[in-house]
Amino acid sequence: MEYFASPANGDNYTSQGFQLGEVPGLIWCPAEAAPGGPVVLLAHGGGQQKAAPAIEGRVGLLAAHGFASISIDAPGHGDREPSETQRARSTELRRRLTAGEPVTDLIAADNSGAGDAAGEWRALLDELTADGIGVGQVGYWGVSLGAATGVALLASDQRVCTAVLGLVGIEGLADPAPRVVSPVRFLLQWDDRFVPRESALDLFDAFGSKEKSLHANQGDHAEVPLTEHTDSARFLTDHLSRT
């Protein structure tokens, strides 16, 4: 894995860029992070990238608790060229949203690629271990497209011991969902135009976790209240501190 300097630094953290094969990413470290301490994997949503404002906001919240985090560009996002299929799907998504037409099948098609994206996170954890970089307990934070990847990752890798997920339905995820057994905090927007309410509830119900909590708020897909973000950071840091 190749490492290089990154300009994405904040008030309470610094970052380092890396490239693992075709996958570019960032390691975000607070000044008080202990070597070999817990780390949170941050997965962005559809149409975003590894240093999107939403990601940097989560980085800052986690850094305030002394936790490091890692983000990568999902396939076809950020510095990775989208496939023709992804381009066509994005164009159709915009058309349907403008026309007020259903988009559930398009979201399900995106979810179907979650297994491949999860494989990139597993490869990254393997590589960090091989490079001798101490990684302690691992948490995960991803909503929307990032949540679909998270379901596939948690179902296949027990190194990830807790997660914040949400804004995603069961389409394309019915098979891995029962194998998610780590503690999960799940966010649901009651008026989400992308994810039917019943589909999100079905996914939450399908999780095999003995410890899972549902946090529903009024509003559309991108209107998650700020308090949910701060509470989600606290959920992750509390669980990673005690495991």
Side-chain angles (χ1 to χ4, degrees):
M1 187 158 68
E2 180 183 359
Y3 297 92
F4 51 87
S6 169
N9 299 320
D11 293 335
N12 60 347
Y13 58 83
T14 59
S15 65
Q16 181 176 33
F18 66 85
Q19 187 80 28
L20 176 59
E22 298 180 354
V23 182
L26 290 165
I27 300 175
W28 314 79
C29 292
E32 300 179 0
V39 63
V40 178
L41 310 180
L42 299 177
H44 62 75
Q48 299 183 2
Q49 44 86 19
K50 61 185 177 297
I55 293 294
E56 289 210 53
R58 294 167 198 162
V59 168
L61 290 171
L62 293 166
H65 292 272
F67 278 59
S69 49
I70 302 175
S71 60
I72 62 176
D73 284 334
H77 291 71
D79 294 325
R80 306 176 68 179
E81 282 293 320
S83 66
E84 289 303 316
T85 298
Q86 286 176 310
R87 291 182 191 276
R89 194 178 298 150
S90 295
T91 299
E92 177 63 8
L93 178 64
R94 290 191 294 270
R95 187 198 68 77
R96 290 196 197 180
L97 289 173
T98 300
E101 298 175 1
V103 297
T104 304
D105 60 318
L106 297 177
I107 302 300
D110 281 337
N111 292 351
S112 67
D116 292 338
E120 295 179 345
W121 282 112
R122 290 195 300 271
L124 173 60
L125 291 175
D126 292 342
E127 188 69 19
L128 290 173
T129 301
D131 280 1
I133 297 177
V135 174
Q137 299 289 342
V138 179
Y140 185 94
W141 191 345
V143 296
S144 194
L145 178 65
T149 300
V151 171
L153 178 61
L154 268 72
S156 60
D157 198 322
Q158 297 304 307
R159 288 176 292 185
V160 185
C161 59
T162 187
V164 173
L165 306 171
L167 311 186
V168 68
I170 199 167
E171 288 80 10
L173 301 174
D175 178 63
R179 300 197 302 275
V180 174
V181 296
S182 301
V184 170
R185 178 185 177 99
F186 191 80
L187 309 181
L188 183 153
Q189 287 301 101
W190 209 244
D191 310 297
D192 196 324
R193 57 177 169 163
F194 295 120
V195 182
R197 188 183 306 163
E198 289 303 319
S199 178
L201 291 171
D202 286 345
L203 177 60
F204 176 79
D205 188 52
F207 290 146
S209 308
K210 292 183 179 179
E211 182 182 346
K212 57 183 178 180
S213 58
L214 177 69
H215 298 259
N217 290 277
Q218 291 183 328
D220 201 356
H221 192 75
E223 297 176 350
V224 178
L226 179 59
T227 53
E228 290 291 358
H229 296 290
T230 55
D231 289 348
S232 291
R234 189 176 299 111
F235 168 86
L236 288 171
T237 56
D238 286 350
H239 277 76
L240 292 171
S241 295
R242 75 188 192 203
T243 50

